[in-house]
Amino acid sequence: MTSLLPHPSVLSSLSGSYELTSGATVSGPTDLVDAVRLALPGLDLRPGDTGAIDVRHDTTLGAEAYKLTVGSRGIEITAGGRAGAFYAAQTLHQLLPDASYRFSAEASWTVPGVRVEDSPAFSWRGIHLDVARHFQPKREVFRMIDLMAVHKLNRLHLHLVDDQGWRIESRAFPRLHEVGSHRARTATNYFREPDTFDEIPHGGYYTLDDLSELAAYARSRSVTIVPEIDVPGHATAILAAYPEFGATGETFEVLPKWGISPAILSPLPPTVDFLTTIFDELLGALGETPFVHIGGDEVVLDHWSESAEIVAYQESLGLDNSAELQAWFLRKLADVLAERGVRAVVWDEAFVSGELRQDTVVMPWRGMGVGRRAAAAGHDVIATPVFPLYFDYAEAASTEEPMAIGDSITVHDVAAFAPTPSSWSAEETARVLGLQAQLWSERIPDARVLDYRAWPRACALAEVAWAGNASEGFGDRLREHLGRLDAIGVEYRPLDGPKPWQRRRPHRPGIVPVVTAMEHLDKMTESAHSTRPSI
């Protein structure tokens, strides 16, 4: 099966069809019935003792696996768990016309007779959303969850803190959201140009109650929120609020421009205690959270090596240099999370700079070469390489595209991606949990640009993540699927280029070609000291 719609190679046609109407009944275990109804909101399905859709639980199936049968006498869903029932209903929805994705008080759809047996190729099918550089209000996070659910994507990685903003309430350390959540202005210049600013304040944060609501909403749609508190670098917004947790004690303001600041948290015990309190607040709000991302990327370690107190602490731990201290610091935080039943996730710099806890998950953004090394070392891996999974890159090397960090990554590049190349060993391949697209938001100022950057490239991501590859006929399936996105109201990038109002500030093609960037990044992963900014 594919994520976008049924595929002939795994879809058996049956004789007959079934008329599904609004107000139809659904019978079966309550939690599975609820999942089916959530996946078909426009049909206003109602629970009943007997009905049009019969849902059954089969413990021999995987939690996300399902069987769907449609015939003249009704619809039967057999699922291994709540997620499987939800995905079965998404597939059922794909058998209906595009108009079924619009709300209708009265609707009647003819469902063709089919039999589908399906399960995902990868357990991690993710979208990374950077809400630190440009804040996305809660309503947009809800919408992203909804769109992920339609595409059977199941991990929403929220990048909640960076130099340019802190995005969650802290009752223990309130200056984090009072001071760190907003900046006075935002950079408007392109990459490697003189600084210019818009002089417009920007900010926002999610309350702990917001996080609880978002997590519950996501779980109901088989999406897990993976929060990221990126440390010890990318810390300007934290230190603007609490400079005492820095390596120098100097004061900062929330960074108004892009790029990387040398601001870095101290690795001393008070900082670990501070972050432990933050983790406890975060986990208390989110509820059951299997993963927390702790960053570890693009860290400028100069302030550590220049601090007599930090160097003395490093030596007391028997460590030779700042890179080893960074590895120790991240392992300490991973230990804190493990005590709470949570696995740490890191970017690949944390892997190359030193020994991690064995259960730490690695995201190799600088290429699958370092991803393979992490897998060979026994770490689970999420494929996140810049090419082709950084959706802040432009879809074409053209001034008609809205401004992006570089160019170009197309929907076909994403569809052609193989998370586990054939050259990998069976052991290395088994370590790849899945893949994830990154939406860094330096140049994604609002929801309309977010739609444009994410879709339809995330449709290709969904295909690869669910089926293992985007098989023959993907282009035709995608063109048909765009009708569903139109009905939902997604302002995606048309396949033949942007509409006039989507162009905005023009892109500067050729400044950061993605092929050149990847060559540079891959080379940097060969050094254990490659923690500095990489582009």
Side-chain angles (χ1 to χ4, degrees):
M1 261 294 290
T2 72
S3 176
L4 296 188
L5 70 166
H7 188 270
S9 65
V10 290
L11 181 69
S12 302
S13 296
L14 302 179
S15 59
S17 61
Y18 186 76
E19 195 76 7
L20 186 61
T21 63
S22 59
T25 58
V26 188
S27 61
T30 301
D31 58 334
L32 303 189
V33 166
D34 179 58
V36 170
R37 295 180 69 212
L38 280 172
L40 296 162
L43 292 179
D44 189 27
L45 301 177
R46 300 165 188 166
D49 295 330
T50 60
I53 303 178
D54 181 23
V55 186
R56 302 175 184 178
H57 186 207
D58 185 346
T59 57
T60 66
L61 297 176
E64 295 185 304
Y66 67 87
K67 298 177 183 179
L68 169 67
T69 303
V70 180
S72 58
R73 293 182 293 178
I75 299 168
E76 181 179 295
I77 289 171
T78 304
R82 192 180 189 285
F86 186 79
Y87 296 138
Q90 293 292 357
T91 296
L92 174 61
H93 205 166
Q94 292 170 345
L95 294 169
L96 307 181
D98 296 343
S100 68
Y101 285 83
R102 303 177 186 271
F103 181 80
S104 175
E106 295 184 8
S108 177
W109 313 111
T110 300
V111 189
V114 296
R115 180 181 291 114
V116 177
E117 296 187 17
D118 200 14
S119 61
F122 293 104
S123 63
W124 190 298
R125 307 180 299 280
I127 293 282
H128 161 286
L129 181 59
D130 172 11
V131 296
R133 272 53 175 269
H134 276 102
F135 180 69
Q136 293 290 342
K138 182 175 69 170
R139 63 180 179 270
E140 301 305 336
V141 183
F142 281 133
R143 185 169 182 273
M144 177 59 78
I145 292 168
D146 285 339
L147 290 173
M148 290 176 64
V150 167
H151 293 82
K152 300 174 186 166
L153 297 167
N154 69 345
R155 298 284 187 268
L156 176 57
H157 174 172
L158 286 180
H159 187 76
L160 293 167
V161 56
D162 217 295
D163 292 299
Q164 296 81 12
W166 172 277
R167 300 299 176 212
I168 53 174
E169 176 190 17
S170 172
R171 295 169 187 165
F173 295 96
R175 285 178 59 81
L176 286 171
H177 63 267
E178 292 169 354
V179 174
S181 68
H182 57 92
R183 57 181 181 262
R185 56 184 184 165
T186 298
T188 57
N189 56 288
Y190 190 64
F191 191 60
R192 295 174 182 159
E193 289 182 345
D195 292 342
T196 57
F197 299 91
D198 61 10
E199 306 304 332
I200 300 171
H202 178 85
Y205 65 91
Y206 309 112
T207 68
L208 295 178
D209 288 339
D210 289 337
L211 290 178
S212 295
E213 183 184 9
L214 286 166
Y217 188 87
R219 277 192 290 270
S220 74
R221 287 150 179 82
S222 299
V223 174
T224 298
I225 289 180
V226 180
E228 180 181 0
I229 305 296
D230 193 356
V231 293
H234 292 274
T236 309
I238 298 174
L239 297 180
Y242 292 97
E244 60 266 36
F245 294 117
T248 64
E250 65 182 295
T251 58
F252 292 88
E253 65 174 16
V254 179
L255 197 67
K257 60 183 181 180
W258 316 132
I260 309 300
S261 164
I264 183 174
L265 295 178
S266 162
L268 301 178
T271 305
V272 174
D273 293 341
F274 161 70
L275 290 172
T276 298
T277 300
I278 296 300
F279 291 152
D280 284 340
E281 286 190 300
L282 184 63
L283 295 172
L286 291 173
E288 184 179 353
T289 304
F291 304 96
V292 170
H293 203 300
I294 56 176
D297 63 312
E298 298 181 320
V299 183
V300 181
L301 295 168
D302 295 351
H303 288 166
W304 283 7
S305 59
E306 294 165 359
S307 167
E309 182 181 18
I310 291 175
V311 170
Y313 185 65
Q314 168 194 304
E315 292 174 348
S316 75
L317 296 171
L319 305 174
D320 292 335
N321 52 55
S322 295
E324 290 186 9
L325 183 58
Q326 143 118 333
W328 176 90
F329 179 75
L330 292 172
R331 185 180 182 110
K332 182 70 174 177
L333 296 181
D335 287 342
V336 168
L337 291 171
E339 291 169 359
R340 288 149 178 80
V342 177
R343 292 180 70 181
V345 187
V346 295
W347 299 110
D348 66 62
E349 290 98 326
F351 165 71
V352 301
S353 69
E355 185 178 348
L356 297 171
R357 276 183 61 100
Q358 199 60 50
D359 61 353
T360 297
V361 181
V362 177
M363 288 188 169
W365 72 279
R366 294 183 296 177
M368 292 309 289
V370 67
R372 185 178 190 178
R373 300 203 302 274
H379 290 284
D380 287 338
V381 169
I382 312 299
T384 57
V386 170
F387 182 80
L389 298 182
Y390 267 40
F391 289 2
D392 53 328
Y393 275 68
E395 289 91 328
S398 168
T399 56
E400 290 194 349
E401 295 294 327
M403 184 179 285
I405 181 62
D407 51 76
S408 53
I409 295 173
T410 70
V411 66
H412 300 293
D413 291 329
V414 181
F417 178 58
T420 53
S422 58
S423 58
W424 287 30
S425 71
E427 293 78 8
E428 292 164 346
T429 296
R431 286 290 178 186
V432 179
L433 301 182
L435 59 159
Q436 175 177 286
Q438 280 54 246
L439 286 159
W440 298 104
S441 68
E442 290 94 333
R443 293 166 182 86
I444 302 180
D446 55 46
R448 299 188 80 177
V449 179
L450 179 61
D451 263 12
Y452 183 91
R453 290 281 184 239
W455 313 99
R457 288 187 292 190
C459 301
L461 172 85
E463 283 276 282
V464 176
W466 185 270
N469 60 75
S471 56
E472 184 178 352
F474 167 72
D476 292 337
R477 295 198 302 280
L478 177 61
R479 279 185 286 274
E480 182 175 342
H481 182 68
L482 295 180
R484 301 183 185 115
L485 297 187
D486 288 329
I488 295 169
V490 180
E491 294 190 272
Y492 59 86
R493 181 190 186 272
L495 297 179
D496 57 357
K499 297 174 181 177
W501 58 88
Q502 292 177 314
R503 290 171 186 166
R504 301 206 173 188
R505 294 174 61 214
H507 178 55
R508 309 285 179 84
I511 303 299
V512 184
V514 71
V515 173
T516 303
M518 288 304 299
E519 291 172 351
H520 174 64
L521 293 171
D522 181 65
K523 184 69 175 176
M524 291 197 74
T525 68
E526 297 173 5
S527 169
H529 300 279
S530 64
T531 62
R532 287 179 174 271
S534 302
I535 295 182

